[in-house]
Amino acid sequence: MTSTAKSLPVAPNMIELAIGGMTCASCAARIEKKLNRMDGVEATVNYATEKASVRYADEVTPDDLIATVEKTGYTAVVPPPPSQVGAGATAEPVDELHGLRTRLWVSVALTVPVIVLAMVPAWQFDYWQWLSLTLAAPVVVYGGLPFHRAAWINLRHGAATMDTLVSLGTLAAFGWSLWALFLGDAGMPGMTHPFRLDITRTDGAGNIYLEAAAGVTVFILAGRYFEARSKRTAGAALRALLELGAKDVAVLRGGQETRIPVDQLVVGDRFVVRPGEKIATDGVVAEGTSAVDASMLTGESVPVEVGPGDTVVGATVNAGGRLVVRATRVGGDTQLAQMARLVEQAQTGKAAVQRLADRISGVFVPIVIALAAGTLGWWLGTGGGTTAAFTAAVAVLIIACPCALGLATPTALLVGTGRGAQLGILIKGPEVLESTRQVDTVVLDKTGTVTTGKMTLVEVLPADGEDAAELLRLAGALEAASEHPIARAVADGAAEAGPLPAVTGFANAEGLGVTGTVDGRELVVGRLRLLRERGLDVPEEVVRAATGAEAAGRTAVLAGWDGRARGVLAVADVVKPTSRAAVARLRELGLTPVLLTGDNATVAKAVAAEVGIDEVIAEVLPADKVDVVERLQSEGRTVAMVGDGINDAAALARADLGLAMGTGTDVAIEASDLTLVRGDLMAAVDAIRLSRRTLAIIKGNLFWAFAYNLAALPLAAAGLLNPMIAGAAMAFSSVFVVANSLRLRGFRPVG
């Protein structure tokens, strides 16, 4: 990227333009440079996605931006919103590929005989050269028309791109052949010449390069075709994401079901979702219970049970019973739309290393043309002969390939971010990839990240001679009348064992517990202090059980009746099933896990021991989480932070790498660098693995692109490459970079 040198306040407006007519990375660099020269404009142009992301001041209009792009020789339009993309996303690319494919196959059919005749002298019959001209001419003119047209447009705008090199090279080879046939000795009957890959020192009057002109055109057409097809494949994940949503919905209005297009839904509408149907938009279940399959958004294969009051996400599938859902977010505010927006933003960004490649691409073509002219002059000046000089110069023009440089980062980002979206991992930009490589410490917020964030009954400890089932049934019945999270945990645990009896005389002792009558028994459930205040005898064994539960990081709830404590119910915010394995995987990635929590040290150490974390920072106020991150950074650590709550947002933003659980708040997600749509710590492992893998692919691509040009240009200038072989190598380099990026589609989550 050519960064603008001017310092903008903050450009208040943002627009994305779909750019047409780009054929290589040099085109993207030119458009970007022109846009950034406008006052109040900051632009990034992405060759792979064929889009420009532009920030612009109020005095600039979208029409001004489009006009600037058009003056540069390209087209620009504002793309349709995501809701319209889903229906028609495939039409334009299919048409484009169809035309390119036709042009390619016609050229291949005409070129094969030309190359065969040139390679096999024994088949070179009288006037074979004129048949070759007849077959090669349509290839150079029709097959190479996209290159010639683009080169002419660029020439009119005083610029040179990859198409300039291809057009110059093929037309030079074809023009030389015409001169040799009509004015030289090559048109004589019985003329033959061997097919050689090295330089021949002759005057050139009897040499034709029809096979090189046609062959180069075919190879580069093939490269463009496979590149276009691969780029389309690379963006398939995002298109699939946009197409996930339901197209229509059954809305309840006036007690009647009315089926309407989903874009007519408004917040507050109640709609019906039958088994097997997609949930039309984000909402809250108003009626019914079911299991919802969210695998297409979160990558989580196990359906989630939902009932009245539970939130559901648009595009997930109702796998069970009939649901009535009240819409809470529609259109561009839904989680699906936000995911698509994040993925698109990530795909239009550029890593720092890509900006260097873009700068090189911007000046590469003029340098290559100068190098070709220098090669021609050097060969002529050293007495190498016209043919040798011409062959080497054409090879230099054709071998040069800034396309591979331009595709190195965008294609890997396209595939990596798209694959991440399929697995419920949203990467906000390429700079995030750089961060994942450097991180050495990962701070894990306890509640909602390592643990479920929900109190759960984990153990029933009856006193000697007491029945555990009866203890749970009676205590659960009394707690069911309370709304306290600990009471709900006991009540839910009891309800799983069977129906609960009715409660009378319920009373709440603030901060201590509850009392009431169940099955004719006066129950007291709560803290040890409450039981003693109400005159109940608390045996030593019950006290020991309560103390032991609290030492293990659990909350002890005592229950008693008829003047005596009957046992203890242990409640805790339980560790998520995958947290221990995830912590072990984070260690394997070279990260040191740190548990951060506002809970007391006893609870924190118990959770840390359960999941295998050695370093614990407990009793931290929400406002102090940023200080913890800064302290770790001051120790020389590069810190990643994983959290899900509003109180984590500042720490997520301050950390070198912020990972927000998608089950958390919008504030936390906005502050993070990576969003994990599924609330599973193993997703953090996958996010770091995928980011590092994507970065490795980008670096491999850039190494190949740089190494190819550094090695190929001297070989061509030295006369060691036939122009046709040069064309094949040039086309292969771009296809290789895209194919290498497509390997990310095979990324698999751990476990």
Side-chain angles (χ1 to χ4, degrees):
M1 182 177 86
T2 308
S3 299
T4 177
K6 52 187 177 287
S7 174
L8 292 176
V10 172
N13 306 303
M14 180 80 184
I15 194 172
E16 193 172 70
L17 300 176
I19 307 295
M22 289 194 298
T23 54
C24 69
S26 298
C27 301
R30 283 189 59 231
I31 298 168
E32 191 171 285
K33 190 175 180 181
K34 291 283 188 183
L35 286 171
N36 280 325
R37 281 180 177 170
M38 298 175 67
D39 290 332
V41 173
E42 282 183 339
T44 300
V45 180
N46 190 308
Y47 170 49
T49 58
E50 298 180 337
K51 288 181 180 176
S53 293
V54 188
R55 284 194 176 279
Y56 60 99
D58 290 331
E59 56 268 23
V60 181
T61 67
D63 288 341
D64 295 334
L65 300 172
I66 291 171
T68 298
V69 174
E70 289 175 345
K71 284 176 188 173
T72 313
Y74 305 89
T75 63
V77 295
V78 179
S83 60
Q84 297 175 24
V85 172
T90 57
E92 187 178 340
V94 169
D95 289 340
E96 179 189 332
L97 284 177
H98 175 73
L100 194 53
R101 185 166 53 242
T102 302
R103 196 179 296 272
L104 172 62
W105 284 118
V106 169
S107 299
V108 167
L110 294 172
T111 299
V112 169
V114 176
I115 293 177
V116 168
L117 284 172
M119 291 180 68
V120 186
W123 292 357
Q124 292 173 0
F125 54 85
D126 286 350
Y127 300 113
W128 68 274
Q129 65 272 45
W130 296 101
L131 175 62
S132 292
L133 175 63
T134 305
L135 296 173
V139 176
V140 174
V141 176
Y142 166 72
L145 186 60
F147 313 126
H148 307 318
R149 184 191 295 123
W152 172 245
I153 291 172
N154 288 318
L155 182 63
R156 283 169 45 206
H157 290 86
T161 65
M162 193 62 234
D163 295 292
T164 309
L165 302 182
V166 174
S167 181
L168 262 179
T170 53
L171 289 178
F174 188 68
W176 179 284
S177 301
L178 289 177
W179 176 83
L181 283 169
F182 287 100
L183 301 176
D185 304 329
M188 303 294 291
M191 185 280 286
T192 63
H193 70 72
F195 180 80
R196 303 174 63 94
L197 297 180
D198 59 350
I199 296 296
T200 54
R201 296 176 180 268
T202 72
D203 65 0
N207 290 77
I208 58 174
Y209 290 93
L210 293 171
E211 78 282 1
V216 165
T217 301
V218 165
F219 283 131
I220 296 176
L221 267 179
R224 286 277 169 90
Y225 171 72
F226 288 116
E227 180 186 308
R229 195 174 73 170
S230 298
K231 278 161 59 180
R232 176 163 169 67
T233 305
L238 179 57
R239 283 194 301 277
L241 194 64
L242 290 168
E243 291 166 4
L244 278 177
K247 300 296 183 283
D248 53 28
V249 57
V251 180
L252 287 174
R253 288 180 179 164
Q256 299 291 320
E257 284 188 32
T258 307
R259 193 156 284 276
I260 61 171
V262 74
D263 57 8
Q264 293 180 15
L265 262 181
V266 295
V267 172
D269 273 344
R270 288 159 53 94
F271 59 91
V272 177
V273 189
R274 292 182 173 78
E277 288 185 342
K278 288 180 180 178
I279 295 173
T281 193
D282 298 358
V284 175
V285 177
E287 298 175 22
T289 58
S290 181
V292 172
D293 178 4
S295 58
M296 67 286 297
L297 287 184
T298 66
E300 179 57 61
S301 58
V302 180
V304 179
E305 297 291 333
V306 297
D310 290 333
T311 58
V312 289
V313 178
T316 54
V317 177
N318 178 15
R322 178 182 182 272
L323 294 175
V324 176
V325 178
R326 178 174 54 81
T328 56
R329 294 195 287 194
V330 296
D333 296 328
T334 64
Q335 185 171 326
L336 176 64
Q338 289 171 357
M339 284 176 65
R341 200 153 49 240
L342 282 172
V343 174
E344 279 201 317
Q345 286 170 2
Q347 291 177 350
T348 56
K350 293 181 182 179
V353 70
Q354 178 64 26
R355 296 189 184 112
L356 171 63
D358 283 354
R359 282 197 293 272
I360 291 172
S361 295
V363 298
F364 190 77
V365 174
I367 290 173
V368 169
I369 292 173
L371 183 59
T375 300
L376 181 67
W378 185 84
W379 277 92
L380 289 173
T382 56
T386 310
T387 298
F390 174 78
T391 304
V394 169
V396 167
L397 285 173
I398 291 171
I399 196 72
C401 184
C403 292
L405 286 173
L407 289 167
T409 294
T411 51
L413 272 178
L414 270 173
V415 186
T417 53
R419 180 62 182 143
Q422 291 175 328
L423 298 174
I425 300 164
L426 304 181
I427 303 170
K428 285 196 175 176
E431 61 283 348
V432 173
L433 307 180
E434 302 275 3
S435 300
T436 59
R437 180 175 56 86
Q438 298 156 356
V439 164
D440 53 35
T441 302
V442 57
V443 176
L444 305 173
D445 176 59
K446 180 184 78 70
T447 307
T449 301
V450 176
T451 63
T452 60
K454 179 183 177 183
M455 300 302 281
T456 306
L457 178 68
V458 293
E459 197 172 10
V460 179
L461 304 165
D464 288 343
E466 298 296 336
D467 179 51
E470 182 68 1
L471 172 66
L472 178 60
R473 188 179 76 89
L474 294 176
L478 184 60
E479 293 280 48
S482 172
E483 291 299 322
H484 193 281
I486 293 175
R488 298 307 314 164
V490 174
D492 290 344
E496 289 178 7
L500 301 178
V503 178
T504 58
F506 176 83
N508 180 42
E510 191 68 37
L512 294 175
V514 292
T515 60
T517 303
V518 181
D519 283 354
R521 293 169 173 158
E522 294 289 337
L523 256 71
V524 180
V525 179
R527 295 179 183 270
L528 173 61
R529 176 183 157 189
L530 178 65
L531 270 70
R532 284 179 171 163
E533 283 182 358
R534 297 303 166 99
L536 275 69
D537 175 40
V538 184
E540 188 59 33
E541 62 174 303
V542 174
V543 175
R544 282 198 304 271
T547 304
E550 288 172 349
R554 298 167 177 174
T555 300
V557 178
L558 284 70
W561 58 84
D562 295 341
R564 179 182 172 85
R566 306 290 174 167
V568 175
L569 301 110
V571 175
D573 177 10
V574 296
V575 169
K576 292 178 181 178
T578 58
S579 290
R580 183 175 181 82
V583 168
R585 291 281 188 173
L586 289 169
R587 288 188 185 278
E588 289 173 12
L589 291 171
L591 303 174
T592 301
V594 176
L595 188 68
L596 179 66
T597 180
D599 276 352
N600 64 65
T602 303
V603 173
K605 286 176 181 175
V607 171
E610 188 173 346
V611 297
I613 295 177
D614 301 324
E615 193 171 347
V616 179
I617 303 173
E619 300 177 20
V620 178
L621 295 173
D624 295 335
K625 289 186 177 182
V626 175
D627 296 335
V628 171
V629 171
E630 289 177 342
R631 178 170 61 78
L632 291 170
Q633 290 170 329
S634 69
E635 294 171 3
R637 303 200 204 182
T638 305
V639 180
M641 168 81 186
V642 186
D644 71 334
I646 291 175
N647 57 12
D648 298 323
L652 287 168
R654 183 67 186 86
D656 299 286
L657 178 69
L659 296 92
M661 292 289 192
T663 49
T665 64
D666 289 345
V667 177
I669 291 169
E670 185 63 32
S672 68
D673 303 303
L674 282 157
T675 301
L676 314 173
V677 178
R678 67 182 194 267
D680 179 353
L681 192 55
M682 198 63 85
V685 178
D686 290 333
I688 292 171
R689 286 178 57 242
L690 176 61
S691 297
R692 288 182 176 180
R693 177 92 178 274
T694 305
L695 183 63
I697 291 284
I698 288 172
K699 291 191 169 181
N701 285 348
L702 287 167
F703 170 79
W704 165 259
F706 277 116
Y708 163 82
N709 281 296
L710 287 174
L713 281 171
L715 287 175
L720 299 177
L721 285 177
N722 176 285
M724 188 170 67
I725 303 302
M730 178 271 209
F732 172 76
S733 69
S734 292
V735 174
F736 172 85
V737 163
V738 179
N740 189 43
S741 299
L742 287 174
R743 293 194 298 128
L744 285 166
R745 296 176 75 201
F747 178 86
R748 293 285 178 269
V750 293

